[in-house]
Amino acid sequence: MADQDGDHESSSSHDRSHTCFRDWINLQKSDLDQLVKLLNPESGVEEEEGASSSSSSNKHFELCAKTVSHFEDYMRNRAELAREDISIYFAPSWCTTLENSLLWIAGCRPSMFIRLVYALCGSEMERNLSQFLLQGTSNGLLGDLSAGQLSSVNMLQLKTVREEEKLTSRLATLQEDIADQPLAVIARGATQVGETSEEADKALDDHERSMANILEEADKIRLKTLKELLGILTPKQGVDFLVASKKLHLSLHEWGKKRDRLHGRHRDARKPPPQSDEES
Amino acid sequence: MADQDGDHESSSSHDRSHTCFRDWINLQKSDLDQLVKLLNPESGVEEEEGASSSSSSNKHFELCAKTVSHFEDYMRNRAELAREDISIYFAPSWCTTLENSLLWIAGCRPSMFIRLVYALCGSEMERNLSQFLLQGTSNGLLGDLSAGQLSSVNMLQLKTVREEEKLTSRLATLQEDIADQPLAVIARGATQVGETSEEADKALDDHERSMANILEEADKIRLKTLKELLGILTPKQGVDFLVASKKLHLSLHEWGKKRDRLHGRHRDARKPPPQSDEES
């Protein structure tokens, strides 16, 4: 994490934010390895000989809690960094363009967690039914959600979408404020377009502080939704969900990198266009 | 504009999109010069000796129409480019981070046009009242909006916000679709995270096409709102509005560049972070 590095004083907030994200990607890869090992019976970790169902459940619970605490750490670190330099978080240069096109207030939509549960539940249900009819057993994963669990997930979805819409609307107001006093009037009164003034700097600083607040609130909704969802799922289903969620996030990062390379963008492509880059 | 260059075949879609944006910024600067000259009595263009009020109004009308047609050209050009490479438009590397943090579907919020009218109307109204009381004249700019005009602007605002919300909600659905079939299931089933497959590529291509459609619809709302707004304003008020709107856009671009330099970002800052950039 960013605050474990020794050279903070000399690096820019942009570099530290980039490092923080890179560390988060690497931590997710290592968390995913552990989650997969626990879930996969072939690894021998899940169903150890003599291991009781309750101790197995404890392991799932503990790994879920550890994974969530890593997410919490990441959000705390980036909230601090965002206080120094918020704008970059709304379109980070360290993310791929695919990832950036999917952003909602500098991260994923909390409702995506729930959509993912529905998608996996649907795709597994049929397979589970065959297994149950053939072997009389079920695997206890997301395809085995009970009617009560589905109803709780549904209620969580409604609540989450409402909270998302509320914050989306606050972001809209904040963005529109730019076209109001004082910035619109300062811009209009300027002799030279873009000339700097203390008043404009102050207004932009105020705007950035409000944007940082919105980011923190969005992160709170993301974290709360994740925790409430894991509270509805059994520990084993929770591990199943976290595996799918991490795999999707990391896959999008990799697919995005490949597509950026194909389109000739990503770092090298951030050079000036063929003709002079100068704006007259 | 991008399609006037001779080296298109050899340049990437990213480079051409960057060039298209740079040309648009330059065109706006030149449009702004003409608009300011027409509006400013000191320039001698607005109130030529012997010029009738009607010919002056024609000049304002023609310049408004020319400026809007430039906006239309820009949107047509970028819509074509976005069909080749849409994701980059949601967080363009050629915009400043300040501008990117204000984006709504790859551009400004249409409701910002209306917010700007209210802001300028309010700030000018007091000044105009003093002038009217002292000299018995009014300047015919945005501070002189009639009650009827204000009511029409208000109705336009309500309609625009509704359209914005509708498209915001469609974007949300499109973003959430990523966590559904087929991508969520492909990602989950992959042995190696991010491994490519024809199925994933096809799903991402479909997703990009839908994003390009949303961008075109957002551009349509932006253009329609601008045209309807200019239809409510007198030609002179229209010129006054376009001056303020261009000045705000260009100022944000310049302020953003300054803030990017201060934060050590922008191009140079898109280098790897202090430690190795490799994700393990």
Side-chain angles (χ1 to χ4, degrees):
Chain A
M1 287 291 141
D3 56 0
Q4 291 158 355
D5 301 324
D7 56 351
H8 275 192
E9 295 308 316
S10 61
S11 61
S12 72
S13 56
H14 176 281
D15 285 344
R16 278 179 283 135
S17 294
H18 187 163
T19 303
C20 175
F21 177 77
R22 190 203 55 196
D23 291 345
W24 170 231
I25 287 285
N26 287 335
L27 187 60
Q28 284 194 92
K29 285 178 183 167
S30 120
D31 283 349
L32 177 61
D33 280 346
Q34 292 186 51
L35 289 159
V36 167
K37 274 183 194 148
L38 186 59
L39 202 63
N40 189 352
E42 284 81 55
S43 72
V45 176
E46 191 202 23
E47 306 288 353
E48 279 170 12
E49 217 174 322
S52 70
S53 159
S54 128
S55 80
S56 167
S57 178
N58 278 346
K59 277 185 193 155
H60 289 95
F61 181 81
E62 281 162 19
L63 194 52
C64 283
K66 192 173 107 178
T67 308
V68 171
S69 81
H70 287 163
F71 187 39
E72 222 160 349
D73 291 343
Y74 167 64
M75 289 199 307
R76 197 168 27 246
N77 286 331
R78 79 170 196 157
E80 269 176 42
L81 289 162
R83 289 267 157 213
E84 295 174 41
D85 184 5
I86 178 67
S87 293
I88 190 75
Y89 280 91
F90 282 76
S93 58
W94 49 82
C95 283
T96 63
T97 54
L98 173 65
E99 288 169 292
N100 280 343
S101 77
L102 298 172
L103 288 183
W104 172 80
I105 311 185
C108 72
R109 289 185 173 272
S111 52
M112 280 178 94
F113 296 143
I114 298 158
R115 188 75 177 266
L116 184 60
V117 168
Y118 284 136
L120 299 174
C121 177
S123 83
E124 281 185 20
M125 213 171 253
E126 203 179 328
R127 200 176 54 192
N128 286 5
L129 188 62
S130 317
Q131 186 187 335
F132 184 77
L133 291 173
L134 283 170
Q135 303 166 14
T137 60
S138 64
N139 61 17
L141 298 176
L142 285 173
D144 282 328
L145 282 187
S146 70
Q149 283 179 310
L150 276 170
S151 158
S152 301
V153 172
N154 189 35
M155 277 163 62
L156 179 61
Q157 185 187 33
L158 294 174
K159 192 177 78 169
T160 306
V161 168
R162 266 200 307 274
E163 286 176 324
E164 254 184 50
E165 283 175 350
K166 218 166 133 189
L167 213 54
T168 297
S169 160
R170 273 189 49 203
L171 177 69
T173 305
L174 201 56
Q175 289 179 324
E176 279 175 26
D177 283 348
I178 289 286
D180 206 334
Q181 304 243 29
L183 286 171
V185 177
I186 295 170
R188 187 172 186 262
T191 321
Q192 184 77 28
V193 158
E195 68 188 16
T196 51
S197 72
E198 262 185 48
E199 205 187 347
D201 276 338
K202 193 192 160 300
L204 289 170
D205 287 344
D206 288 347
H207 171 77
E208 290 199 345
R209 266 189 293 277
S210 305
M211 293 291 262
N213 290 340
I214 288 236
L215 167 62
E216 276 183 44
E217 290 195 41
D219 273 352
K220 267 184 208 158
I221 302 179
R222 282 185 266 267
L223 185 64
K224 200 176 67 169
T225 307
L226 179 63
K227 282 182 171 173
E228 289 187 28
L229 190 58
L230 290 173
I232 295 169
L233 305 177
T234 65
K236 190 173 177 184
Q237 287 167 342
V239 173
D240 190 23
F241 166 75
L242 288 171
V243 165
S245 169
K246 300 274 166 214
K247 276 193 167 182
L248 181 62
H249 183 187
L250 295 169
S251 294
L252 286 168
H253 187 61
E254 295 303 322
W255 290 332
K257 284 205 275 191
K258 185 193 154 204
R259 292 174 95 78
D260 276 345
R261 278 194 300 272
L262 274 176
H263 278 291
R265 333 179 190 102
H266 210 52
R267 291 216 177 89
D268 285 347
R270 293 182 196 276
K271 68 182 191 303
Q275 307 89 333
S276 159
D277 192 35
E278 277 311 296
E279 293 155 4
S280 60
Chain B
M1 288 288 146
D3 54 4
Q4 291 158 356
D5 300 325
D7 57 351
H8 274 189
E9 295 308 316
S10 61
S11 60
S12 72
S13 55
H14 176 281
D15 285 345
R16 278 178 283 137
S17 295
H18 187 164
T19 303
C20 175
F21 176 76
R22 189 204 57 196
D23 290 344
W24 170 231
I25 287 284
N26 286 335
L27 187 59
Q28 285 194 91
K29 285 178 184 168
S30 122
D31 282 350
L32 177 60
D33 281 345
Q34 291 187 49
L35 290 159
V36 167
K37 274 184 194 148
L38 185 58
L39 202 64
N40 188 353
E42 284 82 55
S43 71
V45 176
E46 192 203 21
E47 306 287 354
E48 278 171 13
E49 215 173 322
S52 69
S53 160
S54 133
S55 79
S56 167
S57 178
N58 278 346
K59 277 185 194 155
H60 289 94
F61 181 82
E62 280 162 20
L63 195 52
C64 283
K66 191 173 107 177
T67 308
V68 170
S69 81
H70 287 164
F71 188 39
E72 223 161 347
D73 290 342
Y74 167 65
M75 290 199 307
R76 198 167 25 244
N77 286 331
R78 80 170 195 154
E80 269 175 41
L81 289 162
R83 290 266 158 212
E84 295 174 41
D85 184 6
I86 179 68
S87 293
I88 190 75
Y89 280 90
F90 283 77
S93 58
W94 49 82
C95 282
T96 64
T97 55
L98 172 64
E99 288 169 292
N100 280 343
S101 76
L102 299 171
L103 288 184
W104 172 79
I105 313 187
C108 71
R109 288 185 174 273
S111 53
M112 280 177 95
F113 295 142
I114 298 159
R115 189 72 177 266
L116 184 59
V117 168
Y118 284 136
L120 298 174
C121 177
S123 83
E124 280 184 19
M125 215 171 251
E126 203 178 329
R127 200 176 53 192
N128 286 5
L129 188 64
S130 319
Q131 186 187 332
F132 184 76
L133 291 173
L134 283 170
Q135 302 165 16
T137 60
S138 65
N139 60 16
L141 297 177
L142 285 172
D144 281 329
L145 283 187
S146 69
Q149 283 179 310
L150 276 170
S151 159
S152 300
V153 171
N154 190 33
M155 277 163 63
L156 179 61
Q157 185 187 32
L158 295 175
K159 193 177 77 170
T160 306
V161 168
R162 266 200 307 274
E163 285 175 326
E164 253 183 51
E165 283 174 351
K166 219 167 133 188
L167 213 53
T168 297
S169 161
R170 273 189 50 201
L171 177 69
T173 304
L174 202 55
Q175 289 179 323
E176 279 175 26
D177 283 348
I178 288 287
D180 206 333
Q181 303 243 31
L183 286 171
V185 177
I186 296 171
R188 185 170 187 263
T191 321
Q192 184 77 27
V193 157
E195 67 188 14
T196 51
S197 72
E198 262 186 46
E199 205 187 348
D201 276 337
K202 193 193 160 300
L204 289 170
D205 287 343
D206 288 348
H207 170 77
E208 291 198 347
R209 266 188 293 277
S210 305
M211 294 291 262
N213 289 340
I214 288 236
L215 167 62
E216 276 183 41
E217 290 197 40
D219 274 352
K220 268 185 206 157
I221 302 180
R222 283 185 265 268
L223 184 64
K224 200 176 66 167
T225 307
L226 179 63
K227 282 181 172 176
E228 289 188 26
L229 189 58
L230 290 173
I232 295 169
L233 306 178
T234 65
K236 191 173 177 184
Q237 287 167 342
V239 173
D240 190 23
F241 166 75
L242 287 172
V243 164
S245 169
K246 302 274 164 214
K247 276 193 166 182
L248 181 61
H249 183 188
L250 294 169
S251 294
L252 286 168
H253 187 62
E254 294 303 320
W255 290 333
K257 285 204 278 191
K258 186 192 155 204
R259 291 174 96 80
D260 277 344
R261 279 194 299 271
L262 274 176
H263 278 291
R265 341 181 184 98
H266 211 50
R267 293 216 174 90
D268 284 347
R270 293 182 195 276
K271 68 183 191 300
Q275 307 90 333
S276 159
D277 192 35
E278 280 308 297
E279 294 157 5
S280 61

